[in-house]
Amino acid sequence: MKRFALILLAIGLLGGCASNDDSPNELVNADVAELYGEAASAMERGDWETATRDLESLQAQYPFGIYATQAQLDIIYVYYRAGDVASTVAAAERFRRINPRHRAVPYSWYMQGLALEEKNEDPVKRLVGVDNTLRDPVPRRQAFDAYATLVEDYPDSEYVDRARERLDILFADGARFQLSVARFYADREAWVAAAGRAITVINEFPDTPSVEPAMDLLALAYRNLGLDELADGVIAEKESLPSRGGDGIPEMPGIYEGEEIEVPPAPSADDAPGRDAPEPPSNVL
């Protein structure tokens, strides 16, 4: 958080200059600098509630200028750290709408992806070993979209490597989700449905650890359906699987489309996992 200390120093210098001139513009600049300084101090000490209040107030009172732009950017990070997923996404979209060519646009896409990816995080269930990736896939699909947009549209951004890592993880998570659904059907001896989901994993999520268990489950489903020849073919194919590469952005799995499941509430501020979230770039200095 050293960056915020530097911003405060710059604000102090600007405020000092403003005191020598009583023109309306200089007085306004001094006021907005003081308000931003209070928000930056709150961010420095991790007081997200105060930082949110000050940044929202700044944007309402002083909607133009470098402080307003920085506040629009900072509040994305503040909402994220407070565990407010919906506000994080809304703030990121608003920043891009107002500043479509700003150098921090890639940052806004990355933070949007992080927030959506953590929509299903539940610290209590994670503590007792519940796999959160087996919950609602909709936020993960939306996070996938955000990261993919960043990688495709801003290939030179400093956030690209992080976004690629998240894409790989989301791709594997999607495979595990579909495999869990296939097993759900198999446990209830709904073999046709189980076979369909297993085929989805094999076809749409190649090169993930879920493919081989999906092939085992598919063979089991075929045998229970009396399709022994097909089951033998699946086993033979599994045994002959070559080693596959996986460079670039995986294509969006079609199974993510149209998943209509109610999204659970976001974690509270105290429970926010705070995954690899970079501080917002500075526009003030």
Side-chain angles (χ1 to χ4, degrees), residues 23 39 72 77 107 145-146 154 192 214 216 222 249 254 260 262 281:
S23 69
Q72 294 160 13
Y77 178 79
Y107 170 83
D145 284 337
Y154 306 94
V192 173
D216 289 335
Y222 280 155
I249 305 172
E260 300 291 342
E262 184 179 357

Side-chain angles (χ1 to χ4, degrees), residues 70-93:
Q70 188 65 43
Q72 294 160 13
L73 187 60
D74 287 348
I75 205 165
I76 300 171
Y77 178 79
V78 170
Y79 282 143
Y80 172 80
R81 292 301 302 271
D84 189 341
V85 174
S87 293
T88 303
V89 173
E93 292 175 344

Side-chain angles (χ1 to χ4, degrees), residues 19 105 187 217:
S19 64
V105 165
D187 289 343
L217 193 150

